[in-house]
Amino acid sequence: MQIAEPLQIAIDELSKLPSIGKKTAQRLALHLLKTDPENVINLIKAISDLKEKIKLCSVCFNLAVDDTCDICQSTKRDKSVICVVEEASDIFAIERTNEYKGLYHVLGGVLSPLSGSSVDDLHIQELIGRLQNTEVKEIILALNPDTEGDTTSLYLAKLIKPLNIKVTRIARGIPIGGDLEFADDATIGRAVLGRSDL
Amino acid sequence: MVLKELELTSFRLHTKTVLKFSDKLNYIVGGNGQGKTTILEAIYYLCTTKNLNQALDKEVVTFNKDDFEVKGLFKEKVENKVQLLFSKETNKKNTSLNEKTVSKASNLIGKFPVVTLIQLDHAITMGSPAERRKFVDSVISQSSDTYLKTLIDYNRILKQRSQLLSNIRENYSKSLMMQLDSWTEQLVKNGTYLIEQRIAFCNGFKEYLKKSYEKIMGDKETPGIEYIFFNNNNELIEKKFFDLLNEERDNEIRRAANLIGPHRDDFLFTINGMELRKYGSQGQHKTFQIALRFGEFFFIKDKKGITPVFLMDDVFGELDTYRAQKISEYLREIGQAFITMTDFGKLEELYTGNGNLIIKVDNGIVSYEEL
């Protein structure tokens, strides 16, 4: 079947988005075609604003509107702690908990020679630069608990410890509300190794 | 654990075959190329998601068809339905357990333990060290989840580290060397765990091997298994591992390869203290391979508390009557087993007690005969 060209182009562009397949793209395109012109204009504006206005924070590489992000600008945050994460999306996850009041630093990836990601590709130098500020007393490493994340944590710990700054890593183990009997053996094994005093 | 039912669709010669099995011995009988081993192949897919004879998945699909499906019903205390679908188009396997998709093969391994005795086993005693590592790793992995996960991590670390070594060789920098230290630390941490588990395994497995060898050959010959890894001279394994890596660092960079660790180790098999690989006869090799598999069966049964299913592919053809009878008697101690054989003549020599089943396979068509 021949599809009108503008529609076909819209479908092709939409299907480039992550987790959008051909059928979903078609449904979205047809929906846009039917909806009020105002809605479409708002969407276009939102998308172009997103690209134009969002930058990386010059300090922590979080997403920001200004030169620095809201968290770095805030006077209420505890400037003595920096939590190191892989991607900005990890900040959202931690912020949702409302448990953490310190600052962040986004690495932009982890060490992985196989995918060509090395120290110079990550924001490691910038992190070390921030530590020259004597206010920082603790670094919390919150990288994913896989081989690459663990190795990057080891690397950072080695780099930071000589600066006389406490380095900690977030705990790993049984999910809250999870049943012990349903957790996999490796998780339970590590949780037992990393047990804490009561 | 027993396999009650099996259903094959577009699986080699079997366009659509439904099988019901005995809880005891299932003799699968038929001429060459009639689809006997195929049944074992299908059972192996259900237990491991892998191919029994290391064939490609797409080769298993019936000629002119696009995908194959295997369904099985396992029973321990409860019934478990396992389903595996392979599609040629995507070249992907989709496994589900009780109609819920299983995301990773490693989540299924060990749930339905399986022990195989096949022609390829000759490589375990005669082939390269890699074959012996594969055997030992698969036995420990089936009985320990942590071992399997550590092994997967370790292999990942090996790949990352050798890539990094090659980067260093091309473009030396202090920063890369620091990264190497971190990868080395990971290698040693995971590798030491593997080494310690393998040592413990050999110590425990020795008795199982001895017992099953005795069942087949009597006590004239005593088999042994020994783990050969770097000589730690009673030093802590972890420390020695680090020291050796330090010594070999320049070599490793020059060759861009991981030169030390459990991925390079070997296992030594002996009979009466003599090395099997150097001095063993053909018959001794065969007996040893069978004893290894029976040992594996009882080892996993004790460790996991689940009786594995036993797959034996055309084993009796190669054995003399005496040993065939011994093995047949030994099979009484096994729970459920699937045994392929080409000719009926041999059956008379074998143990055919109550409740055993003969399954005749003729060009993918199946008929039964109860014993």
Side-chain angles (χ1 to χ4, degrees):
Chain A
M1 189 187 70
Q2 193 69 35
I3 298 177
E5 200 185 330
L7 180 59
Q8 185 64 55
I9 292 174
I11 292 173
D12 288 348
E13 288 298 328
L14 284 168
S15 65
K16 286 181 191 165
L17 297 172
S19 74
I20 305 283
K22 266 265 167 316
K23 276 184 196 154
T24 313
Q26 190 176 319
R27 205 164 64 230
L28 290 174
L30 289 172
H31 171 78
L32 289 173
L33 204 53
K34 261 194 283 181
T35 191
D36 285 346
E38 197 188 334
N39 286 340
V40 177
I41 289 164
N42 286 343
L43 178 63
I44 293 171
K45 185 165 182 309
I47 295 174
S48 64
D49 278 0
L50 184 70
K51 248 341 217 192
E52 260 170 46
K53 295 191 178 160
I54 299 281
K55 297 173 287 210
L56 291 185
C57 169
S58 63
V59 178
C60 73
F61 300 94
N62 185 14
L63 305 177
V65 182
D66 303 318
D67 181 50
T68 52
C69 71
D70 292 349
I71 295 174
C72 288
Q73 281 177 23
S74 167
T75 49
K76 287 181 186 151
R77 312 285 305 202
D78 177 358
K79 297 204 167 11
S80 69
V81 198
I82 296 178
C83 177
V84 179
V85 294
E86 223 173 293
E87 301 293 346
S89 54
D90 298 330
I91 295 186
F92 305 158
I94 298 176
E95 281 299 290
R96 272 201 303 272
T97 66
N98 277 325
E99 290 289 340
Y100 179 68
K101 295 291 171 230
L103 302 177
Y104 291 97
H105 190 87
V106 181
L107 280 186
V110 282
L111 294 176
S112 170
L114 283 174
S115 37
S117 153
S118 182
V119 169
D120 305 332
D121 305 310
L122 309 177
H123 303 301
I124 291 179
Q125 275 316 315
E126 291 88 343
L127 174 65
I128 303 300
R130 287 177 79 181
L131 301 183
Q132 308 308 322
N133 172 357
T134 46
E135 239 184 297
V136 180
K137 297 208 167 52
E138 182 180 354
I139 296 288
I140 302 173
L141 299 174
L143 305 177
N144 289 328
D146 51 21
T147 318
E148 287 77 11
D150 284 350
T151 309
T152 312
S153 293
L154 281 174
Y155 179 82
L156 290 174
K158 245 185 238 158
L159 217 54
I160 297 165
K161 271 189 184 152
L163 306 174
N164 268 328
I165 293 170
K166 188 173 164 194
V167 182
T168 54
R169 177 159 70 180
I170 53 166
R172 46 190 58 189
I174 312 298
I176 308 274
D179 247 329
L180 203 56
E181 61 173 323
F182 294 130
D184 70 285
D185 293 2
T187 305
I188 297 178
R190 279 181 191 165
V192 171
L193 283 178
R195 66 192 179 278
S196 53
D197 288 328
L198 276 180
Chain B
M1 179 197 72
V2 291
L3 177 65
K4 304 289 275 188
E5 290 167 26
L6 182 72
E7 187 181 321
L8 312 178
T9 314
S10 312
F11 194 93
R12 292 200 193 267
L13 271 176
H14 300 268
T15 40
K16 185 89 184 176
T17 301
V18 181
L19 290 145
K20 288 194 190 308
F21 296 121
S22 153
D23 293 356
K24 294 177 178 171
L25 306 183
N26 295 275
Y27 293 102
I28 303 168
V29 188
N32 288 324
Q34 301 299 319
K36 301 185 303 293
T37 307
T38 310
I39 295 173
L40 303 189
E41 200 177 16
I43 298 173
Y44 195 76
Y45 263 118
L46 288 181
C47 298
T48 65
T49 76
K50 306 243 156 48
N51 188 282
L52 175 63
N53 288 311
Q54 293 159 23
L56 295 175
D57 298 320
K58 62 176 180 205
E59 293 168 2
V60 179
V61 183
T62 307
F63 188 66
N64 274 342
K65 288 279 172 32
D66 300 320
D67 33 35
F68 74 71
E69 189 185 42
V70 189
K71 280 191 211 168
L73 182 69
F74 287 100
K75 183 152 197 236
E76 173 79 13
K77 287 182 190 92
V78 290
E79 290 189 342
N80 281 301
K81 259 189 242 166
V82 185
Q83 187 177 4
L84 185 137
L85 184 77
F86 170 79
S87 148
K88 249 190 200 168
E89 197 191 10
T90 56
N91 198 24
K92 278 207 176 97
K93 279 172 287 195
N94 202 325
T95 319
S96 64
L97 174 60
N98 296 323
E99 269 133 47
K100 268 179 242 139
T101 305
V102 179
S103 54
K104 275 188 283 182
S106 58
N107 291 342
L108 196 74
I109 290 172
K111 270 211 165 62
F112 308 105
V114 59
V115 175
T116 61
L117 183 51
I118 57 175
Q119 301 299 320
L120 280 178
D121 280 359
H122 68 85
I124 299 173
T125 61
M126 293 173 161
S128 66
E131 301 288 344
R132 285 179 284 286
R133 287 195 299 270
K134 207 170 95 191
F135 167 76
V136 171
D137 284 342
S138 95
V139 180
I140 312 179
S141 292
Q142 288 209 63
S143 51
S144 158
D145 234 14
T146 315
Y147 187 87
L148 176 63
K149 294 220 160 78
T150 310
L151 188 66
I152 293 170
D153 279 352
Y154 182 80
N155 287 330
R156 175 92 189 147
I157 294 165
L158 285 179
K159 275 197 198 142
Q160 292 277 21
R161 197 169 174 273
S162 73
Q163 179 63 50
L164 184 61
L165 285 165
S166 136
N167 294 350
I168 293 172
R169 179 171 67 178
E170 272 164 36
N171 211 340
Y172 180 90
S173 81
K174 223 177 152 190
S175 145
L176 285 181
M177 290 304 280
M178 256 189 86
Q179 290 177 54
L180 181 63
D181 284 346
S182 305
W183 285 106
T184 302
E185 208 171 301
Q186 286 276 53
L187 184 83
V188 170
K189 195 182 93 196
N190 289 280
T192 304
Y193 172 82
L194 295 182
I195 293 174
E196 286 167 350
Q197 292 300 308
R198 284 177 177 179
I199 295 171
F201 167 77
C202 285
N203 285 336
F205 189 68
K206 229 173 241 166
E207 290 308 310
Y208 288 89
L209 180 64
K210 208 172 131 195
K211 199 176 155 213
S212 41
Y213 201 93
E214 233 170 56
K215 288 268 184 186
I216 306 166
M217 288 305 290
D219 53 7
K220 294 183 295 276
E221 293 181 349
T222 308
I225 174 172
E226 202 183 308
Y227 181 33
I228 311 290
F229 63 109
F230 54 73
N231 189 351
N232 61 324
N233 285 325
N234 288 327
E235 273 182 80
L236 280 176
I237 291 169
E238 192 169 344
K239 184 180 175 302
K240 186 71 187 173
F241 201 162
F242 262 123
D243 290 349
L244 285 169
L245 281 165
N246 270 333
E247 279 169 34
E248 289 286 332
R249 174 145 4 149
D250 292 343
N251 246 335
E252 286 202 311
I253 294 170
R254 194 160 42 80
R255 293 170 55 182
N258 299 292
L259 296 180
I260 311 280
H263 60 292
R264 298 178 67 92
D265 296 343
D266 198 359
F267 296 85
L268 182 73
F269 296 139
T270 56
I271 290 178
N272 292 341
M274 303 276 273
E275 190 180 341
L276 176 71
R277 216 157 82 93
K278 284 192 185 140
Y279 306 106
S281 70
Q282 290 285 337
Q284 280 174 321
H285 273 278
K286 190 78 210 169
T287 310
F288 207 99
Q289 289 150 19
I290 295 171
L292 280 174
R293 291 306 191 180
F294 273 91
E296 175 186 359
F297 180 91
F298 289 103
F299 180 82
I300 291 177
K301 188 179 167 184
D302 287 355
K303 289 276 162 199
K304 284 215 74 113
I306 305 176
T307 313
V309 292
F310 205 142
L311 310 180
M312 297 175 86
D313 191 20
D314 207 7
V315 175
F316 291 104
E318 281 181 74
L319 295 173
D320 55 46
T321 314
Y322 171 77
R323 282 192 299 171
Q325 256 167 3
K326 285 283 180 196
I327 290 166
S328 169
E329 274 167 37
Y330 200 9
L331 279 173
R332 294 184 208 207
E333 296 177 29
I334 300 270
Q336 190 186 31
F338 300 86
I339 303 151
T340 65
M341 48 179 57
T342 38
D343 78 77
F344 286 100
K346 282 272 180 195
L347 261 182
E348 282 157 27
E349 297 163 9
L350 299 177
Y351 162 69
T352 45
N354 246 345
N356 294 338
L357 191 66
I358 293 179
I359 300 165
K360 291 183 193 165
V361 187
D362 190 5
N363 202 11
I365 310 286
V366 171
S367 57
Y368 300 93
E369 198 173 296
E370 261 187 67
L371 290 168

